[in-house]
Amino acid sequence: MIQVMEPLHRPPRRPHAWLPLLLASQALVALAWWQWGWGVGLALMLASHAVAWWGVLAPNSALYGPVLTRLPARVPTVWLTIDDGPSDDTAAILDLLDAHDARATFFLVGERAAARPELVRAIVARGHGIGNHSRTHPQARFWALGPRRMREEIAGAQRQLAAIAGRAPRWFRAVVGHANPFVHAPLRDLGLARVAWSARGFDAVHGDVDRVLARIGRDLAPGAIVLLHEGAAHGRCVEIIAGVLRRLEEQGLRAVLPDGDGPVPGAGIAPATRA
Ligand SMILES: [Zn+2]
């Protein structure tokens, strides 16, 4: 029997599937309200809204579209993902990764990439992946962006990154992990797949290196997708990444890029020219 494996890279196919579901659920709420009174109706309405909010706010939720949260655990490898660059930390991180023979995907902010294109090219030249992490990183209101602004954020970053790197990203990371219902249509159109994580230490806000490493360490296992940051205000990101790389070595885990983390056919570099 031939086993068909799920592809890791799954751009959304039906990004508007939530709309009929939402309408149907609210019609059912109205029906229940009418049939059994306000107590039942209100409870059902609140429950349905809680589900809708969970879909936006839980980074691993696939309510509105597919999301990759871990890799198959068949081999002792992990995927390091480093968000929010390029930054003052990028060069040091690249040296660290080289020293550990590790590969990572950098989820870059379009505007920051445009300001420091040489760092983006260094990331690619040294064998790492680049992902789309929005054009301006509107972290306070990403969850609330409407369809037009959301498309601008995602497509704008995609254009900037493809122009600088010579290849278009294939992966998208939602800002703060908050993927609202309008994220998935532009992802489908651009061939982007959303990726979340299975290990994180809240290193974007906490600069206590030991605490961050302890948190990440709990979830370091084959197949883990590790969320890391660069350029955080506390200035300890490089130290944290160094600590993670040490732990990976101690645990016999290698940091590699997921299968097929190459260029998108037709977007930048044609498949025939791939090495
Ligand atoms: Zn971010």
Side-chain angles (χ1 to χ4, degrees), residues 91-103 126 128 242 245 249:
I93 293 170
L94 288 174
D95 288 344
L96 258 178
L97 291 168
D98 271 351
H100 290 263
D101 193 22
R103 293 288 167 272
R126 287 163 80 165
H128 304 287
L245 289 166
E249 275 174 3

Side-chain angles (χ1 to χ4, degrees), residues 147-166:
R148 186 197 296 252
R149 180 70 206 285
M150 185 61 84
R151 183 173 289 275
E152 224 175 81
E153 280 291 336
I154 298 172
Q158 193 76 352
R159 269 195 305 276
Q160 286 171 308
L161 294 171
I164 297 166

Side-chain angles (χ1 to χ4, degrees), residues 2 31 110 121-122 134 160 194 198 269:
I2 299 168
L31 193 68
R121 286 191 279 267
S134 84
Q160 286 171 308
R194 181 160 67 97
S198 63
I269 300 167

